[in-house]
Amino acid sequence: MRAAPHAASTRNQERAMASRTNADESETSAEGAVGRRVRLGGSAVLLAIALTAGSIAVGALRDGGGTTTAAAAPSAVSPALLTGADLDTSIASLQDHLRSQPKDFGGWATLGLAYVEQARTKGDPSRYPQADKALARSLKLAPDNEQAVAGRAALAAARHDFADALKYADQVLRQNPYDERALSSRVDALVELGRYADAAKAADTADARKPGVPVFTRYAYVRELRGDVTTAERVLKQALASATTPGDVAYVAAQLGQLAFNQGDYEAALTYYARALAADEDYVPALEGRARAQAASGDKADAIKNMEDVVARYPLPGPLVELGELYQQAGDQEKADDQYALVDAWTALARANGVNADLDTALAAADHGDKAAALRAARAEWKRRHTVHTADALAWALHVNGKDAEALPYARRATAIGYRNAAFLYHRGMIERATGHTADARTHLEAALKLNPGFSTLGAAEARKALKTLEAAK
């Protein structure tokens, strides 16, 4: 479904809001004290975003989406739970069960974990406080029970509190070294804390103890971060071959599509996204990835149409920024600005629900918002964790604020471990150009465009323009 101009798109978001409101009222009635809705004042757009936006578990914005995207580690629970309809049905069944069996600590733990997934897949951060309450109820009934502590790890990761995610994962693994969720969460937390060598060891351990789709995807991601794309692709293909449910197939095929996109292979990316959508036609990462690959391939009309469809149903930060940049490239700044404003509303909602959104703020605001706020957020995030993504975000925020000499060491650090990310190379090249390192600037701008010539709707064009200027100055 193609969204009409932005007024009609807003009406679609309002309808989504109304639908979500009805669902919330039903759930609140079913759970009593467990449920809580968060309301934001303001315009209809803000209300729409308050109930439909925000996918941030273990890195919400996806790599490969240009200059305003952050890391997207794999989901913190089994991909089989990612099918929206199945998850909604499971939550409704759990609520019915807990109404008659309120002392079932395992049921409360499962409900808490399901809320974490619902926040991630349905774009509703207000589910995080609900998850917190359900997990607390489980732990009150059975202190330190394995399932609830594993849920705490997933919730902490979803809120970008990776130190707590690691703490809870380790607590579970002391009880059960073979717990799949905890093994997976441990890898995620170490990656997001920038402890890449430890993450690689944790992935090896997880693979030895509990091989399967959740572990395979993490193993592949760690290898990709270290520049070993061949191994990452091989492991993801192995995961896809072993996938048996539609949720698993959609999840892994979309991961393969993202990996192919990051290497500039748009044909393969579109093939994998088609396979993901054949398994689950509403799988948002595949819908979003397909639109990005279409844009990179030069098919702007279909890219806009399909990204409008994504945003009309799930106005999440990644697609909002991508759609905004597509509009901006097409010369419609008003519609572009509407999308960027929705990102700000999502950030406010995320923070209202206990999520650390500094990295997301830094990435989006550096290009499409308050540059000073972007730098404050990037500095705050760097104090918490030293990852390649935070290094890149801080470098770029410093650059757009005119602090290029300070930015350069961070840009170099972002590219130091071998991660093949065109946006990182582009950022480094632009910063090197600004600091007078012209030969290095040419090297890295050319490398960005060679790796993934459509890595960003606007960034790729800026990279080409900068290279022409450098060549003319020879």
Side-chain angles (χ1 to χ4, degrees), residues 164-358:
D164 267 3
L166 181 61
K167 178 186 74 175
Y168 289 126
D170 284 341
Q171 182 180 338
V172 173
L173 292 171
R174 284 193 292 271
Q175 298 179 46
N176 177 8
Y178 295 89
D179 186 286
E180 183 177 64
R181 289 193 188 97
L183 288 166
S184 299
S185 292
R186 189 169 197 276
V187 177
D188 293 340
L190 289 168
V191 165
E192 298 299 339
L193 290 169
R195 294 170 54 181
Y196 298 119
D198 290 337
K201 292 177 183 177
D204 288 338
T205 298
D207 185 46
R209 292 180 182 175
K210 200 75 173 182
V213 167
V215 170
F216 290 160
T217 54
R218 283 154 178 86
Y219 188 99
Y221 186 63
V222 170
R223 294 311 185 271
E224 183 188 0
L225 282 171
R226 303 301 289 268
D228 187 359
V229 173
T230 300
T231 298
E233 182 180 19
R234 175 179 57 79
V235 173
L236 285 174
K237 286 181 176 179
Q238 181 181 352
L240 186 59
S242 67
T244 57
T245 68
D248 282 2
V249 172
Y251 175 75
V252 182
Q255 293 283 323
L256 277 161
Q258 188 61 52
L259 183 65
F261 178 87
N262 287 348
Q263 313 314 309
D265 189 348
Y266 308 133
E267 183 178 353
L270 288 167
T271 298
Y272 283 122
Y273 289 134
R275 183 165 181 183
L277 293 170
D280 180 356
E281 64 182 4
D282 295 318
Y283 189 55
V284 175
L287 291 167
E288 179 186 344
R290 179 181 65 181
R292 291 186 189 279
Q294 288 169 332
S297 301
D299 186 0
K300 303 295 185 181
D302 280 343
I304 289 175
K305 178 183 68 175
N306 288 322
M307 197 63 81
E308 284 175 339
D309 184 34
V310 172
V311 166
R313 290 186 289 170
Y314 297 103
L316 309 178
L320 284 168
V321 168
E322 177 69 17
L323 182 57
E325 292 192 348
L326 286 166
Y327 285 149
Q328 190 172 335
Q329 186 184 54
D332 195 332
Q333 191 62 50
E334 182 182 358
K335 289 173 73 173
D337 288 342
D338 284 347
Q339 309 311 309
Y340 304 146
L342 287 172
V343 176
D344 292 338
W346 167 83
T347 301
L349 178 65
R351 286 176 171 160
N353 286 279
V355 179
N356 166 25
D358 279 338

Side-chain angles (χ1 to χ4, degrees), residues 10-24:
T10 299
R11 287 196 296 273
N12 287 338
Q13 292 167 14
E14 289 171 349
R15 285 194 290 271
M17 175 197 72
S19 174
R20 182 63 52 81
T21 300
N22 291 337
D24 279 354

Side-chain angles (χ1 to χ4, degrees), residues 60-144:
L61 303 178
R62 298 180 59 81
D63 275 339
T67 62
T68 57
T69 54
S75 165
V77 300
S78 170
L81 293 177
L82 294 177
T83 303
D86 291 345
L87 183 59
D88 292 344
T89 301
S90 297
I91 287 175
S93 297
L94 276 168
Q95 291 167 345
D96 288 342
H97 169 73
L98 289 168
R99 214 166 17 249
S100 61
Q101 300 291 332
K103 294 185 178 181
D104 179 3
F105 67 88
W108 286 108
T110 302
L111 181 62
L113 192 58
Y115 278 141
V116 173
E117 278 302 288
Q118 193 174 53
R120 194 186 66 79
T121 59
K122 293 295 185 182
D124 188 358
S126 68
R127 296 299 188 224
Y128 292 135
Q130 292 178 309
D132 202 5
K133 289 182 180 180
L135 293 169
R137 181 76 172 266
S138 176
L139 290 166
K140 184 176 181 180
L141 290 167
D144 298 326

